Amino acid sequence: IFLSLTFFSLNRKKMNLKSERRGIHVDQSELLCKKGCGYYGNPAWQGFCSKCWREEYHKARQKQIQEDWELAERLQREEEEAYASSQSTQGAQSLTFSKFEEKKTNEKTRKVTTVKKFFTASSRTGAKKAEIQEAKAPSPSINRQASIETDRVSKEFIEFLKTYHKPGQDIYKQCKLFLDTMNHKRDLSIEEQSECAQDFYQNVAEKLQTRWKVPPEKVEKAMDQIEKYIMTRQYKYVFCPETTDDEKKDLAVQKRIRALHWVTPQMLCVPVNEEIPEVSDMVVKAITDIIEMDSKRVPRDKLACITKCSKHIFNAIKITKNEPASADDFLPTLIYIVLKGNPPRLQSNIQYITRFCNPSRLMTGEDGYYFTNLCCAVAFIEKLDAQSLNLSQEDFDRFMTGQTSPKKQESDSFSPDVCLGVKQMYKNLDLLSQLNGRQERIVNEAKKLEKDLIDWTDGITKEVQDIVEKYPLEIKPKSQALAAIDSENVENDKLPPPLQPQVYAG
């Protein structure tokens, strides 16, 4: 028993050291909301789930509004005191200054009141009534010529709602009202538009369950179709808008991934053997799925690409190890896939999903789990350093600047605590170096053979020319043709006639 416990303790310490060395280990608790609600968190929400993040966001906004109110009241008091102390000045000047300050105060109060109305729950009913009045006017954006995909999605949405009968009509009206409202709120920030979308999802889901008594399984399907219909029409305006720095973040991540092109699977302790054909196919499919995410317009479809990519990763690990993959194996492999694929507009896609996806998908289920891992992978890539890869800072800097690449090390120079992956990496580099030497020798021999063939051809040509010059070919004129034996001999008439047969008398 003592030996078993000792062996278990050593293995546990070894696993912990390996996790600390590669710096990629993430516990399940680290993926959950840090407020402890049990849902998945997100680095874009500062570790909170969407629900807790909205609560914290509202608290921060309310605090800011309160500070604005206090600032406005203090300015008002200072202006009143200044006005009282300036009574000795001329009445006209005092009146003009008072009107100017009153107008300035009213403008500040109006801005603060507008912000407070938008973020206060009690004022949402009045705001929705105002939105209904604004929605009565036809919107030029809604009436514009829709694209082929938008028309297809709209027809599919209408056909889907027909199965809901009366609730389907109300759902369609709510969606049209929301689209009209969003068209009137183009000047709002992307965070405020995201807040409107999240409120709409929540209100429609509550109505489906309470007012229209729709079963839970049908509620989920309805919310998927609602999200698809709405975000297909809003994609052009809310994906990577010009008012945000999403494009700047995309370029920074893309440049960072390109600078990390030298990172090998062994450095990340990736348990995937791409020499196995099936594993190689899974890796290619995973990269294809993560790249395909950018071509989708609906947040749910983008999440589906992430989920398919993750499942291919799990299958690749399972085939390599002949056992089910663990979370500690999945995250390093996902980081490797992102580095190898370098998906386009990665940050924009993550922000788009975070802002406008149905929050129930991001908070629970496999979609939420895989999406949270992708966010962790991107965060790790942005902060990846020499310690994470078990490299010296000098080597890391040289690799990042492109001055050199990972080279072979002698087996005697390895320290005892170097993992097997690093040793295997240098062994593979040694093999590649040998193959490179063989290839160079083959190329040199091929060039030599080519030169020998050219020299042999030139030598044969010269010999032929010398022989021709030494023994020139003389062509004599054509002699007169001989007459045929059976032809008539016109010119030789004096020749004796042919011998006649003689009769022999015996």
Side-chain angles (χ1 to χ4, degrees):
I1 295 174
F2 175 76
L3 292 175
S4 299
L5 291 175
T6 304
F7 181 76
F8 175 76
S9 177
L10 290 174
N11 284 339
R12 187 179 183 88
K13 290 181 179 179
K14 185 177 180 181
M15 292 177 64
N16 291 336
L17 288 174
K18 185 177 180 180
S19 299
E20 292 176 359
R21 179 173 61 249
R22 67 185 179 186
I24 312 176
H25 178 72
V26 177
D27 292 329
Q28 181 72 13
S29 59
E30 298 178 14
L31 300 179
L32 299 177
C33 175
K34 65 181 183 181
K35 199 171 182 180
C37 63
Y39 295 117
Y40 289 116
N42 191 322
W45 294 324
Q46 299 180 4
F48 294 100
C49 66
S50 61
K51 183 178 179 181
C52 296
W53 166 246
R54 291 174 66 190
E55 293 176 357
E56 296 293 327
Y57 181 74
H58 285 164
K59 289 180 181 179
R61 295 299 300 175
Q62 291 295 336
K63 182 179 179 181
Q64 182 65 36
I65 292 171
Q66 184 65 28
E67 292 177 355
D68 292 342
W69 272 111
E70 294 176 357
L71 176 61
E73 291 175 356
R74 182 169 60 83
L75 292 175
Q76 181 66 24
R77 288 195 302 269
E78 292 176 357
E79 291 169 359
E80 290 176 355
E81 292 175 359
Y83 176 74
S85 63
S86 61
Q87 290 296 325
S88 58
T89 58
Q90 296 180 0
Q93 294 177 354
S94 178
L95 181 60
T96 303
F97 178 77
S98 177
K99 287 182 178 180
F100 173 78
E101 293 298 325
E102 181 180 0
K103 182 178 180 182
K104 181 179 179 181
T105 304
N106 291 337
E107 182 67 17
K108 291 181 178 179
T109 306
R110 184 184 65 81
K111 291 181 179 179
V112 173
T113 305
T114 303
V115 174
K116 189 172 182 180
K117 284 182 179 180
F118 184 82
F119 290 101
T120 304
S122 60
S123 64
R124 295 197 178 192
T125 305
K128 289 182 179 179
K129 290 182 180 179
E131 292 171 4
I132 293 175
Q133 296 296 330
E134 294 178 357
K136 291 181 180 180
S139 173
S141 300
I142 295 296
N143 294 334
R144 73 182 187 280
Q145 185 66 27
S147 63
I148 298 177
E149 183 176 0
T150 303
D151 291 339
R152 179 181 59 80
V153 172
S154 300
K155 292 179 182 179
E156 292 177 357
F157 184 61
I158 294 174
E159 292 296 326
F160 173 79
L161 292 179
K162 289 181 180 179
T163 59
Y164 285 75
H165 305 293
K166 182 60 171 65
Q169 299 178 4
D170 295 336
I171 292 173
Y172 185 74
K173 291 179 181 179
Q174 292 290 328
C175 293
K176 294 289 291 184
L177 178 61
F178 173 76
L179 291 173
D180 291 338
T181 303
M182 291 297 292
N183 287 326
H184 287 90
K185 292 185 176 182
R186 295 282 180 235
D187 55 338
L188 295 180
S189 65
I190 194 64
E191 287 76 15
E192 293 171 339
Q193 295 185 49
S194 172
E195 186 73 14
C196 293
Q198 299 297 329
D199 288 340
F200 174 74
Y201 289 144
Q202 183 177 356
N203 293 335
V204 173
E206 291 177 355
K207 288 181 180 179
L208 286 171
Q209 295 176 357
T210 58
R211 181 188 298 180
W212 298 318
K213 307 298 180 182
V214 178
E217 62 275 6
K218 297 188 70 175
V219 170
E220 184 177 356
K221 293 181 180 179
M223 293 305 300
D224 290 342
Q225 292 296 326
I226 291 172
E227 177 189 327
K228 182 177 181 180
Y229 173 70
I230 289 175
M231 297 317 302
T232 300
R233 302 179 72 92
Q234 293 293 312
Y235 179 82
K236 177 181 178 181
Y237 307 104
V238 298
F239 181 83
C240 192
E242 297 179 355
T243 56
T244 64
D245 58 347
D246 292 348
E247 185 176 2
K248 183 178 179 181
K249 292 180 179 178
D250 289 334
L251 295 176
V253 172
Q254 189 178 57
K255 183 178 179 180
R256 175 71 173 176
I257 293 177
R258 287 178 178 175
L260 294 170
H261 66 90
W262 49 269
V263 177
T264 62
Q266 291 77 15
M267 292 181 178
L268 296 171
C269 297
V270 176
V272 169
N273 185 6
E274 295 188 63
E275 294 182 359
I276 303 175
E278 296 181 7
V279 175
S280 179
D281 292 341
M282 291 296 174
V283 171
V284 172
K285 290 180 180 179
I287 294 175
T288 303
D289 291 332
I290 198 68
I291 293 176
E292 188 182 3
M293 175 180 62
D294 185 61
S295 64
K296 305 298 181 181
R297 304 179 68 177
V298 184
R300 179 173 61 88
D301 294 341
K302 293 181 180 292
L303 275 180
C305 291
I306 298 174
T307 301
K308 289 192 296 182
C309 169
S310 302
K311 289 184 177 180
H312 288 315
I313 291 174
F314 273 107
N315 290 333
I317 298 174
K318 183 179 180 181
I319 295 173
T320 302
K321 300 180 64 176
N322 291 325
E323 61 181 12
S326 63
D328 292 341
D329 296 330
F330 169 68
L331 185 57
T333 311
L334 179 61
I335 294 172
Y336 172 68
I337 293 297
V338 174
L339 289 175
K340 195 170 183 178
N342 197 0
R345 298 191 292 185
L346 183 57
Q347 282 288 3
S348 292
N349 282 286
I350 291 177
Q351 292 294 334
Y352 176 69
I353 294 172
T354 301
R355 293 164 182 160
F356 297 100
C357 184
N358 186 0
S360 62
R361 283 191 172 274
L362 296 183
M363 294 165 60
T364 58
E366 61 179 6
D367 290 340
Y369 174 77
Y370 294 140
F371 179 71
T372 303
N373 275 275
L374 177 62
C375 295
C376 292
V378 176
F380 176 83
I381 291 173
E382 292 176 341
K383 300 178 181 179
L384 189 144
D385 55 9
Q387 185 179 2
S388 302
L389 300 176
N390 194 30
L391 298 173
S392 64
Q393 188 62 41
E394 183 180 358
D395 291 340
F396 182 82
D397 293 338
R398 290 206 310 267
F399 297 158
M400 288 295 294
T401 55
Q403 297 178 1
T404 184
S405 59
K407 294 182 179 179
K408 174 185 69 170
Q409 288 188 5
E410 299 297 334
S411 58
D412 297 337
S413 63
F414 286 118
S415 58
D417 58 344
V418 173
C419 66
L420 295 176
V422 175
K423 295 181 180 180
Q424 183 65 34
M425 177 192 67
Y426 287 113
K427 183 179 178 181
N428 293 339
L429 290 175
D430 188 13
L431 179 61
L432 289 175
S433 178
Q434 296 177 9
L435 293 175
N436 187 34
R438 291 178 59 186
Q439 183 180 7
E440 290 179 356
R441 289 195 299 270
I442 292 174
V443 172
N444 293 332
E445 292 294 334
K447 290 181 178 179
K448 183 179 178 182
L449 177 61
E450 181 182 9
K451 184 176 180 302
D452 292 341
L453 289 174
I454 294 175
D455 294 342
W456 179 79
T457 303
D458 294 340
I460 295 297
T461 303
K462 186 177 180 181
E463 290 180 4
V464 172
Q465 290 178 353
D466 293 341
I467 293 173
V468 170
E469 291 176 358
K470 185 175 181 180
Y471 304 102
L473 180 62
E474 296 179 0
I475 302 176
K476 297 180 179 181
K478 186 177 180 181
S479 59
Q480 187 176 1
L482 298 176
I485 296 176
D486 297 333
S487 61
E488 295 181 358
N489 194 350
V490 179
E491 297 179 358
N492 300 319
D493 294 338
K494 297 180 179 180
L495 291 175
L499 296 177
Q500 295 295 326
Q502 298 294 327
V503 179
Y504 176 71

